[in-house]
Amino acid sequence: MSTASLDFQPGSFDTRSPHYVRELPILVLLPHSRCNCRCVMCDIWRIRQVREITAADLEPHLAGLRQLRVRWVVFSGGEPLMASHLPALTRRLSDEGIRTTLLTAGLILAQHADIVAELMDDVIVSLDGPAEVHDRIRGVPRAYERLGQGIDACRQRRASLPIHGRCTVQKGNFRQLRGMVAAARELRLDSLSFLAADVTSQAFNRPVRWQDDRASQVALDAAEADGLEAEIEALICEHKEEIRSGFIQESPDKLRRIGKHFRCHLGQMPPTAPRCNAPWVSAVIEADGTIRPCFFHRPVGNIQEGPLVEILNSREAVGFRSQLDVASNEICRRCVCSLFLEAGHPSL
């Protein structure tokens, strides 16, 4: 792993400050830099240099994970199942009593079903629609079939393993929200969540923000935004029980926010930040060791530069949090995600 050239300076802040991280309930870990899909809404698959986080890379920071009381590590990517050290990483975290979640496109889930069923506490798979739509968006032949085979293989090894679906709504599938619910049932998923595609940030291997011609391949035009809002209302009307039971994880208001996101991109309404405290309760560690407060904001250090606790409470990191006003920050206002943990939440 290469060390990023970042200016890490230990801080000298009052540990009672609300911007000093004393607990970090959630850590997102990107164990592998590359991906085996070719999705139009993401450029991670364009990365050619393989970088991985190993158990040895993590070992010096285990004391920091204990000190920060990390309770949940989410393996994201890239495709985490491509990481050669994933079993060792997961076992080390499990030994610490930390819950582990796998986010995967599912193309090679069947090949790794033994490890996944043995080591992961739960799995979230990417689902883009019924088979034909899913395959087209993933850019890989038989992607839906291979995903189904992987889910079945995990179920055969451990029937109780929670496996959930997550759909990124964009130009290629916005008319298929109800079809995604049917696909999720067909795949025997435990739940399904929806979020809008990000078309404005520099996350997901975008050195610069997409220009209009590139964003238009993912974002919706005005007529398509009308169609999405109609589909959302139909979804809310026809799947009330799935929403009530939590099989569809979003409330009607959160589903409608997806349509508003694309309206904001069109300039038809002002962007509004979701309620979020992610930089105070979580962090992202990328495959080269870079640490970010979330997927979308600038790095604050690298795990090869010093102890995790000191990096998260460096001058740069604490200064960033103390100056961040989520409601007015331009990145936050256009964010497609949200993470908010209330004080007293079991994870805090």
Side-chain angles (χ1 to χ4, degrees), residues 236-300:
I236 292 169
C237 179
E238 295 178 21
H239 291 283
K240 292 177 182 177
E241 177 55 29
E242 284 85 352
I243 294 172
R244 187 203 63 78
S245 68
F247 181 80
I248 295 176
Q249 294 189 354
E250 285 73 30
S251 67
D253 284 346
K254 286 191 174 182
L255 289 170
R256 292 182 178 114
R257 182 177 171 81
I258 297 171
K260 292 176 181 178
H261 170 80
F262 291 106
R263 292 291 186 195
C264 295
H265 182 70
L266 290 166
Q268 296 179 342
M269 61 188 305
T272 303
R275 192 183 188 197
C276 180
N277 61 357
W280 291 268
V281 299
S282 67
V284 176
I285 300 180
E286 298 180 348
D288 66 352
T290 297
I291 301 175
R292 295 180 184 269
C294 73
F295 280 104
F296 305 101
H297 282 288
R298 68 177 186 268
V300 295

Side-chain angles (χ1 to χ4, degrees), residues 271-333:
T272 303
R275 192 183 188 197
C276 180
N277 61 357
W280 291 268
V281 299
S282 67
V284 176
I285 300 180
E286 298 180 348
D288 66 352
T290 297
I291 301 175
R292 295 180 184 269
C294 73
F295 280 104
F296 305 101
H297 282 288
R298 68 177 186 268
V300 295
N302 190 289
I303 61 172
Q304 293 202 8
E305 296 173 336
L308 181 62
V309 178
E310 292 185 10
I311 294 171
L312 291 174
N313 290 302
S314 66
R315 294 178 186 176
E316 181 176 1
V318 175
F320 165 78
R321 290 190 294 272
S322 65
Q323 296 171 22
L324 178 62
D325 176 24
V326 171
S328 63
N329 182 271
E330 189 62 22
I331 291 175
C332 296
R333 291 176 70 213

Side-chain angles (χ1 to χ4, degrees), residues 26-52:
I26 300 172
L27 181 64
V28 180
L29 192 61
L30 282 56
H32 191 82
S33 59
R34 298 194 61 201
C35 185
N36 51 5
C37 287
R38 298 292 184 269
C39 304
V40 66
M41 65 279 194
C42 175
D43 287 337
I44 291 175
W45 61 270
R46 299 178 187 274
I47 296 173
R48 290 292 175 261
Q49 183 178 7
V50 175
R51 290 174 172 170
E52 291 192 337

Side-chain angles (χ1 to χ4, degrees), residues 75 80-81 83-91 94 100 102 108-123 153-154 157-158 161:
F75 292 113
L81 290 175
S84 58
H85 301 274
L86 185 62
L89 279 170
T90 308
R91 287 191 174 97
S94 296
T100 56
L102 172 70
I108 53 176
L109 185 56
Q111 295 95 302
H112 297 272
D114 287 336
I115 293 298
V116 172
E118 175 192 352
L119 298 177
M120 296 297 170
D121 290 298
D122 59 320
V123 178
C154 289
R157 288 157 177 79
R158 183 175 147 206
L161 176 66

